[in-house]
Amino acid sequence: MKLNSQRQIPEPRITLVGAGPGDPDLITMKGAKALGDADVILYDALVNEDLLEYAKAGAVKVFVGKRSGQHSSTQQEINQLMVDYALNYGHVVRLKGGDPFVFGRGYEEMNFAAGYNIPVKIVPGLSSSIAVPGLQQIPVTHRGLSESFWVVTGTTASGAISNDLYEAVRTKATVVVLMGMNKLKEIVRLYQQEGKSKLPVAIIQNGSTDMEKCAVGIVDTILEVAEEKHIAAPAIIVLGEVVSLHPDFQPIRDFFETIQTEIS
């Protein structure tokens, strides 16, 4: 019998997995199982590398960067790598920070794979827009304070501030801004122009990780507080009355109550 010396390649398939906000324990069980079954893992800069321990022996692990201002691979390059590895190795897990469909460009990757007739499965992840404020005891909705929440990108593909922020600032909703630290001054100015200079604000850097830092203030003071605490990207910005529920906001509330009493 003639033996086939060529390596047998499994059927190509791709799984988009949300890694969650940073703490490796916050990945879903389904996501962890997908990592254990992967022949290749393509992972982002914001993914905790401890998650790679779920990989089986011999799995190929490829870092593809994808951090604002520090892209080691373009999106087109990542799309092509994902497909090429699937065709040559079998099961590719595309491991993405947060959730693949919340500013994760997951649909673009799924659509690209579809052009090669490669099946794609989705494993949702905890989005930092909800999980990170929650871990800081900030609910994005709360009876009497906020009936809805907006999740907005701070910076569009063109580098400009998102037009949606001009609409969001007019609402009473909690507004969570992702990828917005380099637009913080502009965001503050928008809220000041809308007459919301005393609105509570929190900025949370490296949420859910050992390097987490949090700055709490109001629109008028948040730039100063963030500078004092050396807050930088990656961070999320939370604007809304729900931030007043954070333990660090109590001294601010006490200060305003004292001022009001003195005026009265």
mmCIF file of all heavy atoms in Angstrom, residues 81-129:
data_model
loop_
_atom_site.group_PDB
_atom_site.id
_atom_site.type_symbol
_atom_site.label_atom_id
_atom_site.label_comp_id
_atom_site.label_asym_id
_atom_site.label_seq_id
_atom_site.Cartn_x
_atom_site.Cartn_y
_atom_site.Cartn_z
ATOM 1 N N LEU A 81 -3.740 36.674 7.167
ATOM 2 C CA LEU A 81 -3.076 35.681 8.007
ATOM 3 C C LEU A 81 -4.078 34.657 8.535
ATOM 4 O O LEU A 81 -3.820 33.446 8.533
ATOM 5 C CB LEU A 81 -2.396 36.373 9.201
ATOM 6 C CG LEU A 81 -1.024 36.997 8.975
ATOM 7 C CD1 LEU A 81 -0.599 37.769 10.222
ATOM 8 C CD2 LEU A 81 0.014 35.924 8.650
ATOM 9 N N MET A 82 -5.205 35.151 8.977
ATOM 10 C CA MET A 82 -6.248 34.295 9.527
ATOM 11 C C MET A 82 -6.679 33.238 8.506
ATOM 12 O O MET A 82 -6.768 32.042 8.818
ATOM 13 C CB MET A 82 -7.429 35.195 9.926
ATOM 14 C CG MET A 82 -8.547 34.538 10.651
ATOM 15 S SD MET A 82 -9.789 35.796 11.100
ATOM 16 C CE MET A 82 -10.281 36.360 9.444
ATOM 17 N N VAL A 83 -6.891 33.668 7.291
ATOM 18 C CA VAL A 83 -7.320 32.764 6.223
ATOM 19 C C VAL A 83 -6.189 31.810 5.831
ATOM 20 O O VAL A 83 -6.397 30.600 5.680
ATOM 21 C CB VAL A 83 -7.808 33.562 5.001
ATOM 22 C CG1 VAL A 83 -7.910 32.668 3.762
ATOM 23 C CG2 VAL A 83 -9.163 34.202 5.304
ATOM 24 N N ASP A 84 -4.999 32.349 5.660
ATOM 25 C CA ASP A 84 -3.859 31.512 5.256
ATOM 26 C C ASP A 84 -3.585 30.410 6.282
ATOM 27 O O ASP A 84 -3.334 29.252 5.915
ATOM 28 C CB ASP A 84 -2.607 32.371 5.070
ATOM 29 C CG ASP A 84 -2.683 33.265 3.835
ATOM 30 O OD1 ASP A 84 -3.583 33.040 2.999
ATOM 31 O OD2 ASP A 84 -1.865 34.195 3.723
ATOM 32 N N TYR A 85 -3.618 30.768 7.558
ATOM 33 C CA TYR A 85 -3.385 29.757 8.595
ATOM 34 C C TYR A 85 -4.501 28.716 8.611
ATOM 35 O O TYR A 85 -4.252 27.526 8.818
ATOM 36 C CB TYR A 85 -3.256 30.416 9.966
ATOM 37 C CG TYR A 85 -1.853 30.899 10.277
ATOM 38 C CD1 TYR A 85 -1.578 32.254 10.435
ATOM 39 C CD2 TYR A 85 -0.808 29.993 10.441
ATOM 40 C CE1 TYR A 85 -0.293 32.694 10.729
ATOM 41 C CE2 TYR A 85 0.484 30.415 10.740
ATOM 42 C CZ TYR A 85 0.740 31.772 10.887
ATOM 43 O OH TYR A 85 2.014 32.202 11.173
ATOM 44 N N ALA A 86 -5.738 29.166 8.398
ATOM 45 C CA ALA A 86 -6.853 28.218 8.372
ATOM 46 C C ALA A 86 -6.686 27.220 7.225
ATOM 47 O O ALA A 86 -6.911 26.013 7.395
ATOM 48 C CB ALA A 86 -8.178 28.960 8.247
ATOM 49 N N LEU A 87 -6.289 27.702 6.053
ATOM 50 C CA LEU A 87 -6.130 26.832 4.887
ATOM 51 C C LEU A 87 -4.958 25.868 5.034
ATOM 52 O O LEU A 87 -4.964 24.773 4.476
ATOM 53 C CB LEU A 87 -5.951 27.678 3.623
ATOM 54 C CG LEU A 87 -7.167 28.511 3.193
ATOM 55 C CD1 LEU A 87 -6.801 29.433 2.038
ATOM 56 C CD2 LEU A 87 -8.330 27.604 2.805
ATOM 57 N N ASN A 88 -3.949 26.279 5.823
ATOM 58 C CA ASN A 88 -2.743 25.460 5.934
ATOM 59 C C ASN A 88 -2.623 24.685 7.236
ATOM 60 O O ASN A 88 -1.801 23.764 7.325
ATOM 61 C CB ASN A 88 -1.509 26.351 5.774
ATOM 62 C CG ASN A 88 -1.295 26.811 4.338
ATOM 63 O OD1 ASN A 88 -0.827 26.048 3.500
ATOM 64 N ND2 ASN A 88 -1.680 28.046 4.051
ATOM 65 N N TYR A 89 -3.429 25.059 8.249
ATOM 66 C CA TYR A 89 -3.312 24.380 9.540
ATOM 67 C C TYR A 89 -4.621 23.792 10.040
ATOM 68 O O TYR A 89 -4.609 22.822 10.803
ATOM 69 C CB TYR A 89 -2.765 25.342 10.605
ATOM 70 C CG TYR A 89 -1.289 25.613 10.472
ATOM 71 C CD1 TYR A 89 -0.806 26.527 9.536
ATOM 72 C CD2 TYR A 89 -0.362 24.955 11.282
ATOM 73 C CE1 TYR A 89 0.550 26.788 9.412
ATOM 74 C CE2 TYR A 89 1.005 25.205 11.169
ATOM 75 C CZ TYR A 89 1.452 26.123 10.224
ATOM 76 O OH TYR A 89 2.792 26.370 10.109
ATOM 77 N N GLY A 90 -5.743 24.390 9.665
ATOM 78 C CA GLY A 90 -7.023 23.886 10.161
ATOM 79 C C GLY A 90 -7.768 24.914 10.983
ATOM 80 O O GLY A 90 -8.239 25.925 10.459
ATOM 81 N N HIS A 91 -7.867 24.683 12.287
ATOM 82 C CA HIS A 91 -8.671 25.527 13.165
ATOM 83 C C HIS A 91 -7.874 26.740 13.663
ATOM 84 O O HIS A 91 -6.883 26.588 14.379
ATOM 85 C CB HIS A 91 -9.174 24.717 14.368
ATOM 86 C CG HIS A 91 -10.088 25.492 15.264
ATOM 87 N ND1 HIS A 91 -10.328 25.123 16.570
ATOM 88 C CD2 HIS A 91 -10.833 26.619 15.045
ATOM 89 C CE1 HIS A 91 -11.179 25.984 17.114
ATOM 90 N NE2 HIS A 91 -11.494 26.896 16.212
ATOM 91 N N VAL A 92 -8.323 27.938 13.294
ATOM 92 C CA VAL A 92 -7.706 29.180 13.752
ATOM 93 C C VAL A 92 -8.632 29.858 14.749
ATOM 94 O O VAL A 92 -9.819 30.050 14.480
ATOM 95 C CB VAL A 92 -7.432 30.140 12.575
ATOM 96 C CG1 VAL A 92 -6.991 31.510 13.087
ATOM 97 C CG2 VAL A 92 -6.377 29.564 11.647
ATOM 98 N N VAL A 93 -8.086 30.214 15.905
ATOM 99 C CA VAL A 93 -8.818 31.054 16.849
ATOM 100 C C VAL A 93 -8.270 32.461 16.754
ATOM 101 O O VAL A 93 -7.070 32.689 16.903
ATOM 102 C CB VAL A 93 -8.684 30.538 18.298
ATOM 103 C CG1 VAL A 93 -9.107 31.625 19.293
ATOM 104 C CG2 VAL A 93 -9.556 29.309 18.510
ATOM 105 N N ARG A 94 -9.157 33.377 16.451
ATOM 106 C CA ARG A 94 -8.813 34.807 16.444
ATOM 107 C C ARG A 94 -9.233 35.354 17.799
ATOM 108 O O ARG A 94 -10.420 35.542 18.071
ATOM 109 C CB ARG A 94 -9.551 35.497 15.291
ATOM 110 C CG ARG A 94 -9.320 36.998 15.240
ATOM 111 C CD ARG A 94 -7.905 37.328 14.753
ATOM 112 N NE ARG A 94 -7.791 38.779 14.637
ATOM 113 C CZ ARG A 94 -7.263 39.561 15.586
ATOM 114 N NH1 ARG A 94 -6.795 39.023 16.707
ATOM 115 N NH2 ARG A 94 -7.195 40.865 15.410
ATOM 116 N N LEU A 95 -8.238 35.570 18.667
ATOM 117 C CA LEU A 95 -8.485 35.960 20.048
ATOM 118 C C LEU A 95 -8.402 37.477 20.177
ATOM 119 O O LEU A 95 -7.351 38.076 19.943
ATOM 120 C CB LEU A 95 -7.457 35.281 20.965
ATOM 121 C CG LEU A 95 -7.641 35.447 22.470
ATOM 122 C CD1 LEU A 95 -8.979 34.870 22.929
ATOM 123 C CD2 LEU A 95 -6.490 34.770 23.215
ATOM 124 N N LYS A 96 -9.529 38.079 20.558
ATOM 125 C CA LYS A 96 -9.639 39.533 20.558
ATOM 126 C C LYS A 96 -10.036 40.042 21.937
ATOM 127 O O LYS A 96 -10.844 39.426 22.633
ATOM 128 C CB LYS A 96 -10.698 39.972 19.534
ATOM 129 C CG LYS A 96 -10.450 39.394 18.137
ATOM 130 C CD LYS A 96 -11.623 39.585 17.213
ATOM 131 C CE LYS A 96 -11.741 41.023 16.762
ATOM 132 N NZ LYS A 96 -10.606 41.439 15.905
ATOM 133 N N GLY A 97 -9.480 41.176 22.327
ATOM 134 C CA GLY A 97 -9.846 41.760 23.611
ATOM 135 C C GLY A 97 -11.316 42.135 23.658
ATOM 136 O O GLY A 97 -11.913 42.499 22.649
ATOM 137 N N GLY A 98 -11.922 42.033 24.841
ATOM 138 C CA GLY A 98 -13.331 42.391 24.994
ATOM 139 C C GLY A 98 -14.231 41.447 24.242
ATOM 140 O O GLY A 98 -14.147 40.229 24.371
ATOM 141 N N ASP A 99 -15.119 42.023 23.424
ATOM 142 C CA ASP A 99 -16.033 41.253 22.592
ATOM 143 C C ASP A 99 -15.702 41.513 21.127
ATOM 144 O O ASP A 99 -15.427 42.660 20.750
ATOM 145 C CB ASP A 99 -17.478 41.659 22.879
ATOM 146 C CG ASP A 99 -18.469 40.873 22.030
ATOM 147 O OD1 ASP A 99 -18.875 39.792 22.469
ATOM 148 O OD2 ASP A 99 -18.801 41.343 20.921
ATOM 149 N N PRO A 100 -15.726 40.478 20.279
ATOM 150 C CA PRO A 100 -15.328 40.670 18.875
ATOM 151 C C PRO A 100 -16.179 41.675 18.107
ATOM 152 O O PRO A 100 -15.714 42.266 17.130
ATOM 153 C CB PRO A 100 -15.510 39.270 18.272
ATOM 154 C CG PRO A 100 -15.422 38.328 19.413
ATOM 155 C CD PRO A 100 -16.026 39.058 20.571
ATOM 156 N N PHE A 101 -17.422 41.900 18.567
ATOM 157 C CA PHE A 101 -18.327 42.760 17.814
ATOM 158 C C PHE A 101 -18.545 44.133 18.459
ATOM 159 O O PHE A 101 -19.411 44.887 18.031
ATOM 160 C CB PHE A 101 -19.682 42.071 17.628
ATOM 161 C CG PHE A 101 -19.669 40.981 16.574
ATOM 162 C CD1 PHE A 101 -20.794 40.215 16.336
ATOM 163 C CD2 PHE A 101 -18.531 40.718 15.832
ATOM 164 C CE1 PHE A 101 -20.802 39.217 15.370
ATOM 165 C CE2 PHE A 101 -18.517 39.711 14.874
ATOM 166 C CZ PHE A 101 -19.645 38.967 14.634
ATOM 167 N N VAL A 102 -17.785 44.457 19.506
ATOM 168 C CA VAL A 102 -17.854 45.795 20.108
ATOM 169 C C VAL A 102 -16.540 46.506 19.784
ATOM 170 O O VAL A 102 -15.546 46.354 20.483
ATOM 171 C CB VAL A 102 -18.087 45.729 21.635
ATOM 172 C CG1 VAL A 102 -18.176 47.142 22.217
ATOM 173 C CG2 VAL A 102 -19.366 44.960 21.952
ATOM 174 N N PHE A 103 -16.558 47.233 18.690
ATOM 175 C CA PHE A 103 -15.371 47.914 18.171
ATOM 176 C C PHE A 103 -14.192 46.954 18.010
ATOM 177 O O PHE A 103 -13.042 47.339 18.177
ATOM 178 C CB PHE A 103 -14.984 49.116 19.052
ATOM 179 C CG PHE A 103 -16.054 50.162 19.116
ATOM 180 C CD1 PHE A 103 -16.696 50.444 20.310
ATOM 181 C CD2 PHE A 103 -16.426 50.857 17.990
ATOM 182 C CE1 PHE A 103 -17.704 51.406 20.367
ATOM 183 C CE2 PHE A 103 -17.428 51.813 18.030
ATOM 184 C CZ PHE A 103 -18.071 52.084 19.221
ATOM 185 N N GLY A 104 -14.506 45.688 17.721
ATOM 186 C CA GLY A 104 -13.461 44.692 17.560
ATOM 187 C C GLY A 104 -13.214 44.288 16.123
ATOM 188 O O GLY A 104 -12.360 43.449 15.852
ATOM 189 N N ARG A 105 -13.991 44.861 15.194
ATOM 190 C CA ARG A 105 -13.868 44.576 13.769
ATOM 191 C C ARG A 105 -14.076 43.088 13.466
ATOM 192 O O ARG A 105 -13.588 42.563 12.473
ATOM 193 C CB ARG A 105 -12.519 45.088 13.230
ATOM 194 C CG ARG A 105 -12.308 46.569 13.508
ATOM 195 C CD ARG A 105 -11.070 47.134 12.898
ATOM 196 N NE ARG A 105 -11.215 47.319 11.461
ATOM 197 C CZ ARG A 105 -10.331 47.988 10.709
ATOM 198 N NH1 ARG A 105 -9.256 48.526 11.265
ATOM 199 N NH2 ARG A 105 -10.519 48.107 9.414
ATOM 200 N N GLY A 106 -14.811 42.440 14.341
ATOM 201 C CA GLY A 106 -15.059 41.015 14.167
ATOM 202 C C GLY A 106 -15.855 40.696 12.920
ATOM 203 O O GLY A 106 -15.585 39.694 12.243
ATOM 204 N N TYR A 107 -16.826 41.538 12.589
ATOM 205 C CA TYR A 107 -17.636 41.252 11.404
ATOM 206 C C TYR A 107 -16.792 41.349 10.141
ATOM 207 O O TYR A 107 -16.983 40.568 9.197
ATOM 208 C CB TYR A 107 -18.829 42.195 11.301
ATOM 209 C CG TYR A 107 -19.790 41.782 10.205
ATOM 210 C CD1 TYR A 107 -20.744 40.793 10.442
ATOM 211 C CD2 TYR A 107 -19.702 42.329 8.928
ATOM 212 C CE1 TYR A 107 -21.599 40.377 9.440
ATOM 213 C CE2 TYR A 107 -20.557 41.920 7.913
ATOM 214 C CZ TYR A 107 -21.500 40.946 8.176
ATOM 215 O OH TYR A 107 -22.341 40.525 7.172
ATOM 216 N N GLU A 108 -15.839 42.283 10.107
ATOM 217 C CA GLU A 108 -14.953 42.399 8.941
ATOM 218 C C GLU A 108 -14.169 41.106 8.738
ATOM 219 O O GLU A 108 -14.005 40.633 7.612
ATOM 220 C CB GLU A 108 -13.977 43.568 9.122
ATOM 221 C CG GLU A 108 -14.637 44.936 9.169
ATOM 222 C CD GLU A 108 -13.634 46.037 9.448
ATOM 223 O OE1 GLU A 108 -12.528 45.989 8.862
ATOM 224 O OE2 GLU A 108 -13.944 46.929 10.254
ATOM 225 N N GLU A 109 -13.671 40.542 9.830
ATOM 226 C CA GLU A 109 -12.894 39.313 9.739
ATOM 227 C C GLU A 109 -13.775 38.140 9.318
ATOM 228 O O GLU A 109 -13.368 37.304 8.503
ATOM 229 C CB GLU A 109 -12.202 39.055 11.087
ATOM 230 C CG GLU A 109 -11.179 40.134 11.417
ATOM 231 C CD GLU A 109 -10.568 40.022 12.799
ATOM 232 O OE1 GLU A 109 -11.061 39.196 13.607
ATOM 233 O OE2 GLU A 109 -9.610 40.745 13.077
ATOM 234 N N MET A 110 -14.974 38.089 9.871
ATOM 235 C CA MET A 110 -15.907 37.032 9.497
ATOM 236 C C MET A 110 -16.260 37.130 8.013
ATOM 237 O O MET A 110 -16.293 36.114 7.300
ATOM 238 C CB MET A 110 -17.176 37.154 10.345
ATOM 239 C CG MET A 110 -18.201 36.066 10.102
ATOM 240 S SD MET A 110 -19.663 36.230 11.157
ATOM 241 C CE MET A 110 -20.443 37.645 10.364
ATOM 242 N N ASN A 111 -16.504 38.337 7.543
ATOM 243 C CA ASN A 111 -16.871 38.552 6.146
ATOM 244 C C ASN A 111 -15.718 38.193 5.202
ATOM 245 O O ASN A 111 -15.936 37.632 4.121
ATOM 246 C CB ASN A 111 -17.281 40.014 5.951
ATOM 247 C CG ASN A 111 -18.044 40.238 4.665
ATOM 248 O OD1 ASN A 111 -18.951 39.485 4.341
ATOM 249 N ND2 ASN A 111 -17.685 41.271 3.934
ATOM 250 N N PHE A 112 -14.492 38.509 5.614
ATOM 251 C CA PHE A 112 -13.317 38.185 4.798
ATOM 252 C C PHE A 112 -13.184 36.669 4.660
ATOM 253 O O PHE A 112 -12.942 36.147 3.567
ATOM 254 C CB PHE A 112 -12.059 38.778 5.422
ATOM 255 C CG PHE A 112 -10.834 38.659 4.552
ATOM 256 C CD1 PHE A 112 -10.557 39.615 3.589
ATOM 257 C CD2 PHE A 112 -9.949 37.598 4.706
ATOM 258 C CE1 PHE A 112 -9.430 39.515 2.780
ATOM 259 C CE2 PHE A 112 -8.820 37.485 3.906
ATOM 260 C CZ PHE A 112 -8.563 38.457 2.933
ATOM 261 N N ALA A 113 -13.359 35.968 5.770
ATOM 262 C CA ALA A 113 -13.260 34.494 5.740
ATOM 263 C C ALA A 113 -14.345 33.886 4.866
ATOM 264 O O ALA A 113 -14.115 32.883 4.176
ATOM 265 C CB ALA A 113 -13.351 33.941 7.158
ATOM 266 N N ALA A 114 -15.516 34.509 4.865
ATOM 267 C CA ALA A 114 -16.625 34.007 4.051
ATOM 268 C C ALA A 114 -16.274 34.040 2.567
ATOM 269 O O ALA A 114 -16.755 33.210 1.786
ATOM 270 C CB ALA A 114 -17.888 34.821 4.308
ATOM 271 N N GLY A 115 -15.433 34.990 2.173
ATOM 272 C CA GLY A 115 -15.000 35.076 0.783
ATOM 273 C C GLY A 115 -14.183 33.876 0.349
ATOM 274 O O GLY A 115 -14.021 33.634 -0.859
ATOM 275 N N TYR A 116 -13.665 33.118 1.310
ATOM 276 C CA TYR A 116 -12.894 31.909 1.023
ATOM 277 C C TYR A 116 -13.689 30.654 1.411
ATOM 278 O O TYR A 116 -13.127 29.560 1.463
ATOM 279 C CB TYR A 116 -11.571 31.933 1.800
ATOM 280 C CG TYR A 116 -10.588 32.961 1.285
ATOM 281 C CD1 TYR A 116 -10.698 34.298 1.649
ATOM 282 C CD2 TYR A 116 -9.553 32.603 0.422
ATOM 283 C CE1 TYR A 116 -9.794 35.248 1.187
ATOM 284 C CE2 TYR A 116 -8.641 33.538 -0.048
ATOM 285 C CZ TYR A 116 -8.780 34.865 0.339
ATOM 286 O OH TYR A 116 -7.880 35.805 -0.124
ATOM 287 N N ASN A 117 -14.972 30.844 1.695
ATOM 288 C CA ASN A 117 -15.849 29.742 2.100
ATOM 289 C C ASN A 117 -15.354 29.014 3.339
ATOM 290 O O ASN A 117 -15.506 27.792 3.477
ATOM 291 C CB ASN A 117 -16.029 28.745 0.949
ATOM 292 C CG ASN A 117 -16.754 29.356 -0.236
ATOM 293 O OD1 ASN A 117 -17.754 30.042 -0.064
ATOM 294 N ND2 ASN A 117 -16.225 29.123 -1.429
ATOM 295 N N ILE A 118 -14.744 29.791 4.258
ATOM 296 C CA ILE A 118 -14.277 29.212 5.520
ATOM 297 C C ILE A 118 -15.330 29.498 6.597
ATOM 298 O O ILE A 118 -15.670 30.655 6.836
ATOM 299 C CB ILE A 118 -12.920 29.820 5.941
ATOM 300 C CG1 ILE A 118 -11.854 29.516 4.880
ATOM 301 C CG2 ILE A 118 -12.489 29.279 7.299
ATOM 302 C CD1 ILE A 118 -10.522 30.181 5.152
ATOM 303 N N PRO A 119 -15.864 28.469 7.227
ATOM 304 C CA PRO A 119 -16.884 28.690 8.259
ATOM 305 C C PRO A 119 -16.302 29.401 9.480
ATOM 306 O O PRO A 119 -15.166 29.144 9.885
ATOM 307 C CB PRO A 119 -17.348 27.275 8.605
ATOM 308 C CG PRO A 119 -16.232 26.378 8.185
ATOM 309 C CD PRO A 119 -15.569 27.033 7.015
ATOM 310 N N VAL A 120 -17.098 30.284 10.048
ATOM 311 C CA VAL A 120 -16.672 31.062 11.214
ATOM 312 C C VAL A 120 -17.703 30.922 12.326
ATOM 313 O O VAL A 120 -18.907 31.063 12.098
ATOM 314 C CB VAL A 120 -16.500 32.552 10.863
ATOM 315 C CG1 VAL A 120 -16.085 33.350 12.096
ATOM 316 C CG2 VAL A 120 -15.477 32.735 9.747
ATOM 317 N N LYS A 121 -17.220 30.651 13.531
ATOM 318 C CA LYS A 121 -18.071 30.660 14.716
ATOM 319 C C LYS A 121 -17.681 31.832 15.613
ATOM 320 O O LYS A 121 -16.520 32.263 15.605
ATOM 321 C CB LYS A 121 -17.935 29.342 15.491
ATOM 322 C CG LYS A 121 -18.570 28.148 14.793
ATOM 323 C CD LYS A 121 -18.529 26.906 15.682
ATOM 324 C CE LYS A 121 -19.228 25.730 14.992
ATOM 325 N NZ LYS A 121 -19.195 24.516 15.849
ATOM 326 N N ILE A 122 -18.652 32.320 16.369
ATOM 327 C CA ILE A 122 -18.423 33.458 17.247
ATOM 328 C C ILE A 122 -18.573 33.017 18.703
ATOM 329 O O ILE A 122 -19.554 32.374 19.068
ATOM 330 C CB ILE A 122 -19.436 34.591 16.970
ATOM 331 C CG1 ILE A 122 -19.511 34.909 15.477
ATOM 332 C CG2 ILE A 122 -19.103 35.828 17.789
ATOM 333 C CD1 ILE A 122 -18.216 35.380 14.864
ATOM 334 N N VAL A 123 -17.599 33.388 19.524
ATOM 335 C CA VAL A 123 -17.700 33.187 20.968
ATOM 336 C C VAL A 123 -17.650 34.578 21.610
ATOM 337 O O VAL A 123 -16.589 35.204 21.646
ATOM 338 C CB VAL A 123 -16.568 32.303 21.516
ATOM 339 C CG1 VAL A 123 -16.717 32.146 23.031
ATOM 340 C CG2 VAL A 123 -16.571 30.933 20.838
ATOM 341 N N PRO A 124 -18.782 35.084 22.075
ATOM 342 C CA PRO A 124 -18.796 36.431 22.659
ATOM 343 C C PRO A 124 -17.874 36.546 23.870
ATOM 344 O O PRO A 124 -17.565 35.548 24.540
ATOM 345 C CB PRO A 124 -20.258 36.623 23.075
ATOM 346 C CG PRO A 124 -21.027 35.629 22.266
ATOM 347 C CD PRO A 124 -20.108 34.457 22.093
ATOM 348 N N GLY A 125 -17.459 37.771 24.146
ATOM 349 C CA GLY A 125 -16.637 38.039 25.323
ATOM 350 C C GLY A 125 -17.226 39.180 26.128
ATOM 351 O O GLY A 125 -18.056 39.945 25.633
ATOM 352 N N LEU A 126 -16.813 39.306 27.375
ATOM 353 C CA LEU A 126 -17.251 40.427 28.199
ATOM 354 C C LEU A 126 -16.651 41.718 27.648
ATOM 355 O O LEU A 126 -15.433 41.849 27.542
ATOM 356 C CB LEU A 126 -16.789 40.236 29.647
ATOM 357 C CG LEU A 126 -17.511 39.196 30.484
ATOM 358 C CD1 LEU A 126 -16.812 39.044 31.833
ATOM 359 C CD2 LEU A 126 -18.958 39.569 30.687
ATOM 360 N N SER A 127 -17.511 42.661 27.307
ATOM 361 C CA SER A 127 -17.015 43.938 26.808
ATOM 362 C C SER A 127 -16.552 44.809 27.969
ATOM 363 O O SER A 127 -17.227 44.911 28.993
ATOM 364 C CB SER A 127 -18.113 44.667 26.032
ATOM 365 O OG SER A 127 -17.705 45.980 25.708
ATOM 366 N N SER A 128 -15.407 45.464 27.789
ATOM 367 C CA SER A 128 -14.900 46.366 28.826
ATOM 368 C C SER A 128 -15.873 47.503 29.104
ATOM 369 O O SER A 128 -15.872 48.070 30.189
ATOM 370 C CB SER A 128 -13.544 46.937 28.409
ATOM 371 O OG SER A 128 -13.661 47.709 27.225
ATOM 372 N N SER A 129 -16.723 47.826 28.122
ATOM 373 C CA SER A 129 -17.658 48.934 28.282
ATOM 374 C C SER A 129 -18.645 48.701 29.420
ATOM 375 O O SER A 129 -19.144 49.653 30.019
ATOM 376 C CB SER A 129 -18.424 49.167 26.977
ATOM 377 O OG SER A 129 -19.157 48.012 26.618
#
